[in-house]
Amino acid sequence: MAISLSPRHMHPSAQKSLLVLVATLVLIRGRLSSKILSSLDKQRASESDLDQAQQQLYHEEQDGSRTLLVPFQGRISKVRIEPVSPDTFAKHAKHFPLVHDQRPGVDKNFLKQLAAILRIVFPSWYSKEVWIVALHSTFLVLRTVLSVGVARLDGKIVRSLVSADGKGFLRGLGLWFALAVPSTYTNSMIRHLQSKLSLHMRTRLTRYTHDLYLSSAPDLRYYRVGQEGGLEGVDHFITTDIASFCESLAALYGNLMKPSLDMFIFTAQLARSLGFAGTVLLFGNYFATASILRAVTPAFGRLAAVEARLEGEYRAGVARVGREAEEVAFYNGGLREKHILWRAYLRLIKHVNSIYKIRIAYEWTEDYVIKYLWSAAGYCLISIPVLLSKRRTIGVQTEPHPSSITATASGGSTFIKESANVVDDAVAKRTEDYISNRRLLISLADAGGRLMYAYKDLLELAGLTTRMYTLLSTLHNLPPLPDFNYPDRVEEKANPKIAINDVDIRPPNNDEPLVDSLRLVIRPGEHVMITGPNGVGKTAIARVLAGLWAGDGNVIERPERGVKGVFVVPQRAYMVAGTLLDQIIYPHSYPQYLKSGKTIEDLMEILKVVHLEYLPDREGGWSTRKEWRDVLSGGEKQRMGMARLFYHQPKFGILDECTSAVSTDVEGLMYQHAKDLGITLVTISHRPSLTKYHTRLLTITGDSAGAWHETKIGTEEERMGIEKEIASLEQTLKEVEGWQARVREVAAELGVPVSF
């Protein structure tokens, strides 16, 4: 008597229905894709529409959101962007406390940090990311079900061959090709949904980080995160680390979900064939494998975090050379920069090589355990039902002997004929069960291997999670700068002022003041010039007035924030990515420029004032896009900064050495034009020629006490100060002859010729 080991199979009608359903879905998807592509071809935009969309960038909606206009493949894609609300940031901040000196690892801290980040990635149960995960999970389950079906079908085909059943073999082969269609489609969709999930998570996390990082006053996190937050290489965090984190997280979900599901279903299928003893040994194999690999697994999370940091340092070095290429070329410092970059690259490569060396022993053990130990265990498990069975038969398929086909008594003739036609197919059944169970064990070994590999991926994810958490926690824990005291009454709003009363000017995280107890009141029309030696804190005063640094002391009074209140023109003019028109209207966007009511003629008049009226013709028009930082000279960039001042026409303009590369005649014309526009000037400069455009002079002495003094230009006090300076210079000139005589004596002693 033969023992049948094959479990129940899916009914043939159910198999056909499933195949018909999958084929129908594939056909419908193909038809829909073709219709969508044909409709998109009809919606292609003209060249003028594409240029307009590229210039306009976005539409402002009534609810505060913006619709980005993205030219892509001859069409204009509209992407709606809803900014993250301050309430959301405040709600998330409690989940991102600062953690110092944390070592990446799969522990309780890792789970807390990952949960905090997942609150951002999956904001609600109805978000797109959740639906993608659900659909991805559906295909993972479908893939496992199809794998079981393929294993059973493989056994049926081999059984038909062993039994010499031609019809059964052809039927199984047809089902094999039919089953290949949903199987291949499922594999493609799993990879597609994994990539789509990674992209959606990256988009969600990038938007959140952009809103948090590029925050407006009084937060200004993008300005303060390096100096006050102590976080370097933020560009690498926001670009590379976010992408790597999302790819790792999306891949890990599939690498954990699919093998875990496979192991559960395949183990359940095998348990029906292996019996109790085989099932116990199977779980014992799982435990032994996990124990061995856990014991030899290195700290991949910590290694991945160090690699990401070194990669960021090398990338920052390359970006620095590109950003400062002209200055490096003036010094002929290419060789020096090459040595710096090569040293950074060698640090990265040495670390990567150390990871490769560490992986040798780990991967050797991993491959040995998963490939060979599991294969040997699989053969032992397959043999259990056969070798440990109490009754075994060796079925041999033979042709029935003619003498056995005889008729006996009336009641037994039918029984004898049926017995003669029965084929002892125990070998065929045993072969079918062996092939099916072996394929299930191979799939089980593959699932176990991927689950073990997933632990290594989990450690690398822990390292990336630590870096992402460091970025977000640092940004969340930067306290806002103290706000200004804005005028409340209508008269004060009409005639605002800047008032500083006993405020210490000091850098962040520094207790030594640069300027001590500064008292300064600037009313409209009172133009102040700030002067003094280098490094005494002149620019620091501009930073405090602009709201970049916090003043230590009383509250500072000034007009409202924005380009219409106080506008700062720095010495190093920033050139924004965009058109020539964007350079003048910055920080306004094109929609804001249209709302302002200004025209191209107005912009041309501004360029004439700063002597840049030749730029539109020279560069190819207002809509020309170039790397303006490299196209414009130093003087042209500084004059472009003044053009922005004239475009916005603020109440107060803080000019920090912003005309140092401009000739004095053009400089004087621009200063006079600013006064004619009603802009109150606060100038930081060393040029005495600019004194006549101001009414007051604030001098920072530069001593250790942070002393300063203020005088009115044109008064007796100022004239006395100038006379003292002239007397000092005259005294110095009188000493020139004595120093020349001393130089001649020294030269004569050394025998060196000297001339004056």
Side-chain angles (χ1 to χ4, degrees), residues 352-413:
V352 173
N353 282 332
S354 67
I355 294 177
Y356 290 159
K357 291 177 182 178
I358 292 173
R359 283 180 175 176
I360 291 176
Y362 173 75
E363 291 180 353
W364 176 82
T365 306
E366 189 179 45
D367 288 346
Y368 181 83
V369 170
I370 292 174
K371 291 183 179 179
Y372 297 97
L373 185 61
W374 274 54
S375 297
Y379 284 116
C380 295
L381 291 172
I382 292 174
S383 66
I384 288 176
V386 177
L387 299 179
L388 300 183
S389 176
K390 294 182 179 180
R391 298 183 61 186
R392 290 175 293 179
T393 62
I394 302 177
V396 179
Q397 180 173 316
T398 58
E399 294 294 335
H401 197 275
S403 61
S404 63
I405 309 175
T406 56
T408 58
S410 172
S413 60

Side-chain angles (χ1 to χ4, degrees), residues 735-756:
E735 298 175 356
V736 170
E737 293 182 0
W739 287 109
Q740 287 179 345
R742 178 56 183 161
V743 170
R744 289 191 186 97
E745 292 177 3
V746 175
E749 293 177 0
L750 297 176
V752 179
V754 63
S755 60
F756 298 102

Side-chain angles (χ1 to χ4, degrees), residues 189-219:
M189 286 302 297
I190 288 175
R191 291 189 294 268
H192 170 71
L193 290 172
Q194 177 178 316
S195 302
K196 196 173 184 65
L197 177 62
S198 172
L199 188 60
H200 273 262
M201 290 193 299
R202 181 181 180 183
T203 301
R204 180 81 65 177
L205 197 54
T206 300
R207 288 180 181 175
Y208 183 93
T209 308
H210 282 181
D211 289 344
L212 184 63
Y213 175 63
L214 298 170
S215 55
S216 57
D219 294 308

Side-chain angles (χ1 to χ4, degrees), residues 98-114 298-306 309 455 458-470:
L98 284 175
V99 178
H100 301 284
D101 300 328
Q102 179 192 354
R103 292 188 175 184
V106 182
D107 52 15
K108 186 190 219 175
N109 289 329
F110 161 67
L111 295 178
K112 286 184 178 179
Q113 294 175 4
L114 184 61
F300 285 114
R302 195 177 313 135
L303 296 173
V306 174
R309 179 177 58 81
Y455 181 69
L458 187 62
L459 290 175
E460 294 180 355
L461 177 64
L464 294 171
T465 302
T466 300
R467 286 184 61 83
M468 285 305 310
Y469 184 85
T470 301

Side-chain angles (χ1 to χ4, degrees), residues 221-232 234 474 478 509:
R221 295 183 180 93
Y222 60 90
Y223 174 75
R224 303 162 56 216
V225 67
Q227 188 171 6
E228 297 183 36
L231 194 63
E232 298 180 355
V234 180
T474 303
L478 279 175
N509 303 326

Side-chain angles (χ1 to χ4, degrees), residues 672-726:
Q672 186 59 48
H673 184 70
K675 294 177 66 177
D676 294 340
L677 291 176
I679 302 173
T680 301
L681 302 178
V682 181
T683 303
I684 300 171
S685 179
H686 294 283
R687 288 188 175 181
S689 59
L690 294 177
T691 307
K692 60 184 177 182
Y693 300 104
H694 301 81
T695 59
R696 294 156 61 190
L697 183 66
L698 177 66
T699 303
I700 312 298
T701 59
D703 56 9
S704 58
W708 56 274
H709 64 270
E710 181 187 3
T711 58
K712 287 186 178 181
I713 296 176
T715 61
E716 184 67 24
E717 183 181 1
E718 185 212 4
R719 284 195 297 270
M720 290 180 61
I722 295 175
E723 289 176 358
K724 288 181 181 179
E725 186 175 357
I726 293 174

